[in-house]
Amino acid sequence: MTPAATRWPVAVLGATGAVGQAFIRLLDAHPWFDLVEVAASERSAGKSYRDAAKWLEGTMPAAVASLVVKNCTPAEITAPIVFSALDSGVAGEVEPAFARAGRMVLSNAKNYRMDADVPLVIPEVNGDHLGLLEIQRANRGWTGGIVTNANCATTVMAAALAPLHEAFTVTKVFATTMQAVSGAGYPGVPSLDILGNVIPFINDEEPKIETELAKLLGRFDGRTVQYADIVTSAHANRVPVEHGHTVCMSVAFATKPTPEQALEVLRHWTGTEAVRGLPSAPEPSLVVRDEHDRPQPRRDVNRGRGMATTVGRVRADHLFDLRLVAMSHNVVRGAAGGSILNAELLATSGQLVRYLAP
């Protein structure tokens, strides 16, 4: 059911980049949100979107093609809801400017994820962390707000580990990522560097994984998020896959489960009740595969329209307690789609109606 009498007008910042384009594809014909403005860098401002963007996938929506690209400033953008695909180099200044101007910012950037008063949200996992918005507004004296989604690899891990943490309490995670080239944006990694190769380094990726997981799986007590007591060690690798981040994990628990107990929990997990039925919510959000060689990006990345997380190879671990493999679409679930689902949860919970005027 639509949470407002009319569709909400929204804007996309960083609209010409790969994640910005994903926002545009996912917002096309969205039942609750109407994309009315696009913004990008000064070199694109003033051009039609058709002329400014090098379109990467599918067909550019006709309604967006004719929009004039604006500058990323609250003076030019009037929409009350702003989806930010901005690079962290500019997001740090631009996003709070919109929040001070009374806009709700749904951010993909790393800049504010770990701030104590900023929600870092995967709706099925910790949708209640949106309660931090009240504290954020009081602390910062603005009428808008910033809500962030997690690093794309951390999103895969948190979605897979949340049910197990709830049931058995995760204490340690050793993770190796195999991350798709689309995670580097466009034009991204040079072909001669990645074809037939694995690059065992992604700048700033491992620290994000090692810090964000504890916040995502933490408990909101009405004032702050009490981080989960989890120690994470991560190895981040870029691999020659177009879409889909795969993470191999060894996990220790306070209460050791058998693989059969873990699989039972994973199969029956449904996540936050309020998320079910939202336009972008997959059903189910977590898919368990029994085959010995799944998940695979080529076969599983588009499950749930790219919003589902696929888990497999759940088995005993000789060093910790369990081993498992998880994978999801980094551009959809781990970026644009995750932000849109955050906005849908805000809308259905009444927070958009309460703080913004459509």
Side-chain angles (χ1 to χ4, degrees):
M1 183 174 66
T2 304
T6 58
R7 296 172 72 206
W8 290 91
V10 303
V12 174
L13 309 182
T16 58
V19 174
Q21 291 184 26
F23 271 119
I24 289 169
R25 287 193 299 272
L26 295 171
L27 289 168
D28 187 35
H30 191 283
W32 296 359
F33 303 133
D34 185 17
L35 178 59
V36 296
E37 294 170 307
V38 291
S41 65
E42 291 182 357
R43 67 178 177 273
S44 297
K47 299 178 182 178
S48 70
Y49 186 76
R50 179 188 294 106
D51 293 335
K54 182 178 176 62
W55 194 252
L56 300 176
E57 291 187 34
T59 302
M60 182 185 294
V64 176
S66 59
L67 291 178
V68 174
V69 179
K70 299 182 178 182
N71 286 298
C72 296
T73 67
E76 293 194 34
I77 299 297
T78 62
I81 301 168
V82 176
F83 293 105
S84 174
L86 294 172
D87 181 83
S88 60
V90 295
E93 293 185 7
V94 173
E95 291 176 356
F98 277 89
R100 285 191 293 270
R103 319 301 173 77
M104 185 66 70
V105 180
L106 287 303
S107 172
N108 276 261
K110 68 179 181 179
N111 304 67
Y112 298 101
R113 288 174 183 160
M114 301 308 295
D115 285 18
D117 59 359
V118 174
L120 175 67
V121 176
I122 300 171
E124 299 95 328
V125 172
N126 64 338
D128 63 315
H129 288 200
L130 290 174
L132 282 173
L133 280 170
E134 293 279 3
I135 291 93
Q136 182 187 128
R137 292 187 178 101
N139 288 349
R140 306 193 185 214
W142 57 36
T143 56
I146 297 175
V147 175
T148 63
N149 53 329
N151 164 267
C152 43
T154 316
T155 298
V156 181
M157 295 171 60
L161 292 176
L164 300 176
H165 182 64
E166 184 179 306
F168 309 112
T169 308
V170 174
T171 58
K172 296 179 183 179
V173 181
F174 182 86
T176 299
T177 74
M178 291 169 279
Q179 298 182 220
V181 291
S182 57
Y186 183 84
V189 185
S191 60
L192 289 178
D193 286 341
I194 194 62
L195 290 176
N197 196 24
V198 173
I199 302 173
F201 174 75
I202 303 173
N203 188 46
D204 202 31
E205 198 77 357
E206 291 160 357
K208 286 185 283 188
I209 294 170
E210 292 172 351
T211 57
E212 291 177 19
L213 185 65
K215 184 174 183 179
L216 286 163
L217 298 184
R219 182 178 59 85
F220 178 57
D221 64 8
R223 301 181 307 278
T224 189
V225 173
Q226 302 291 333
Y227 283 23
D229 189 12
I230 299 173
V231 178
T232 301
S233 177
H235 293 265
N237 303 274
R238 188 75 69 194
V239 297
V241 169
E242 183 181 10
H243 297 310
H245 286 356
T246 303
V247 186
C248 299
M249 291 175 274
S250 290
V251 188
F253 299 89
T255 302
K256 180 178 179 177
T258 65
E260 293 74 22
Q261 290 171 327
L263 282 164
E264 182 74 8
V265 167
L266 290 166
R267 290 187 202 282
H268 291 91
W269 188 73
T270 54
T272 305
E273 175 69 30
V275 179
R276 293 175 211 164
L278 296 181
S280 299
E283 184 59 45
S285 63
L286 198 62
V287 177
V288 177
R289 302 294 307 207
D290 293 322
E291 300 92 329
H292 69 275
D293 59 353
R294 301 286 279 275
Q296 297 178 21
R298 178 169 291 179
R299 291 171 170 81
D300 299 308
V301 75
N302 289 314
R303 291 188 175 277
R305 306 181 311 279
M307 289 292 287
T309 300
T310 304
V311 179
R313 304 212 69 209
V314 178
R315 59 212 193 278
D317 185 80
H318 303 304
L319 187 62
F320 291 164
D321 296 325
L322 287 181
R323 287 175 281 183
L324 66 153
V325 180
M327 189 279 306
S328 67
H329 199 304
N330 51 293
V331 178
V332 180
R333 176 83 250 195
S339 282
I340 293 171
L341 188 57
N342 283 345
E344 291 169 2
L345 184 57
L346 280 169
T348 198
S349 67
Q351 294 203 57
L352 294 184
V353 173
R354 181 177 179 184
Y355 292 107
L356 303 175

